[in-house]
C-alpha cells in the first residue's frame, strides 16, 4: 500500500522506514530538522516555521501564517489526502507539548472519517484508530495494549486474544475500561461495530 510518511516536530528517536517510489514524505515545520538528522529527503515541507526558526530554502516548501486555526501536522495530513494517500505513518506526533499530542490524537479520528488509516510512532508506543472495523495482532506478539473510545461511545467492541477479553461491549469517552490490557501471544483482534477506537500499544524494550 502506498504510504504518506509525515515527520512532525515532537519527540521521537531514530526515524527509519523503507521507502518505495510511490510513497510520499512530508515534513511539518521543525520536522524538517529531524529529517535532515536522519538523512531523509522530503518531497514537501509545510508549516509556519515558528518552531524551525527559518523557512527552508527549498523549492518544495509551503509557508503558512503563524496565526491560524490548523496545526502544521494537520496541513501535512491534508496534503497527503489531496494526493490520494489513505495510509499514513507519522513520526514526532507524540510527547513534547501535551496540547499538540492531544491535537494529533484527534487527527486520527479526522483521518478515519475520510477513509484513511494512520499510525503515530514514538520511541515508547504506537497509536492508531479504528472506525467501524477491526485491527489484528499476529501470533507471537505480546505486550500492553490500551483501547479508548474517541467517540462519545463505541458499541459492539470485542477484544479477543487478550488477557482480559471483551465481547460486544460498550466503551465510552468518560470511563477508561480498556486501559492496560495484555496480548497473550496467541494472535488477537480488536473490533468495533459502531464508533471510533483509539488503540495504544506500548513498545517492548
Amino acid at each position: 500500500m502506498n504510504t504518506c510518511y509525515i515527520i512532525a516536530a515532537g519527540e521521537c528517536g531514530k526515524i527509519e522506514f523503507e521507502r518505495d517510489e510511490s510513497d510520499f514524505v512530508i515534513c511539518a515545520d521543525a520536522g524538517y530538522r529531524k529529517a535532515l538528522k536522519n538523512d531523509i529527503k522530503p518531497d514537501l515541507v509545510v508549516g509556519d516555521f515558528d518552531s524551525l526558526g527559518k523557512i527552508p530554502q527549498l523549492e518544495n516548501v509551503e509557508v503558512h501564517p503563524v496565526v491560524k486555526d490548523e496545526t502544521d501536522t494537520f496541513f501535512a495530513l491534508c496534503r497527503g489526502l489531496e494526493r490520494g494517500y489513505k495510509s499514513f505513518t507519522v513520526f514526532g506526533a507524540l510527547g513534547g507539548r501535551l496540547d499538540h499530542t492531544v491535537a494529533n490524537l484527534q487527527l486520527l479520528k479526522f483521518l478515519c472519517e475520510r477513509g484513511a488509516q494512520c499510525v503515530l510512532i514514538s520511541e515508547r508506543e504506537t497509536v492508531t484508530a479504528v472506525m467501524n472495523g477491526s485491527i489484528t495482532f499476529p501470533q507471537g506478539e505480546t505486550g500492553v495494549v490500551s483501547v479508548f473510545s474517541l467517540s462519545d461511545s463505541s458499541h459492539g467492541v470485542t477484544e479477543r486474544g487478550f488477557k482480559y477479553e471483551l465481547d460486544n461491549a460498550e466503551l465510552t469517552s468518560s470511563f477508561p475500561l480498556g486501559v492496560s490490557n495484555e496480548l497473550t501471544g496467541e494472535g488477537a483482534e480488536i473490533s468495533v461495530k459502531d464508533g471510533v477506537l483509539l488503540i495504544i500499544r506500548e513498545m517492548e524494550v
Side-chain angles (χ1 to χ4, degrees):
M1 181 182 294
N2 301 344
T3 301
C4 181
Y5 294 97
I6 293 174
I7 304 174
E11 296 177 0
C12 64
K14 185 173 178 57
I15 300 174
E16 294 181 301
F17 55 86
E18 293 186 9
R19 180 177 179 178
D20 292 332
E21 290 184 3
S22 56
D23 296 335
F24 200 77
V25 179
I26 306 175
C27 291
D29 203 314
Y32 179 61
R33 185 182 296 122
K34 296 181 181 296
L36 292 178
K37 187 179 295 185
N38 288 273
D39 296 320
I40 297 170
K41 183 179 180 180
D43 298 296
L44 177 66
V45 182
V46 303
D48 54 29
F49 302 106
D50 59 344
S51 299
L52 186 62
K54 61 180 180 180
I55 299 174
Q57 298 304 303
L58 303 169
E59 293 182 359
N60 54 340
V61 174
E62 181 180 305
V63 182
H64 293 271
V66 174
V67 180
K68 60 187 187 302
D69 294 327
E70 301 85 357
T71 65
D72 296 325
T73 303
F74 173 84
F75 280 122
L77 290 169
C78 287
R79 297 302 170 263
L81 287 171
E82 290 168 0
R83 286 167 170 79
Y85 288 92
K86 295 296 184 181
S87 176
F88 293 83
T89 298
V90 183
F91 299 91
L94 304 170
R97 288 179 54 178
L98 180 58
D99 56 347
H100 280 270
T101 296
V102 173
N104 291 330
L105 295 178
Q106 289 186 321
L107 287 176
L108 291 174
K109 186 171 184 287
F110 168 84
L111 289 172
C112 281
E113 292 171 345
R114 285 152 183 80
Q117 282 295 118
C118 180
V119 178
L120 310 180
I121 298 178
S122 75
E123 289 185 286
R124 296 179 294 276
E125 59 266 316
T126 61
V127 184
T128 192
V130 174
M131 182 174 74
N132 304 343
S134 64
I135 183 173
T136 60
F137 299 87
Q139 189 172 359
E141 291 198 7
T142 58
V144 176
V145 176
S146 296
V147 181
F148 304 97
S149 180
L150 277 177
S151 309
D152 288 341
S153 60
S154 294
H155 303 275
V157 179
T158 298
E159 298 183 27
R160 302 197 188 283
F162 289 86
K163 182 176 181 179
Y164 308 102
E165 295 198 336
L166 287 177
D167 184 20
N168 201 35
E170 178 184 3
L171 294 184
T172 69
S173 60
S174 59
F175 185 72
L177 176 65
V179 69
S180 297
N181 210 338
E182 297 178 26
L183 292 163
T184 63
E186 299 178 357
E189 180 180 40
I190 300 169
S191 62
V192 56
K193 293 179 181 178
D194 182 21
V196 183
L197 297 180
L198 179 72
I199 301 169
I200 302 174
R201 181 177 180 184
E202 294 184 16
M203 304 291 283
E204 296 183 87
V205 294

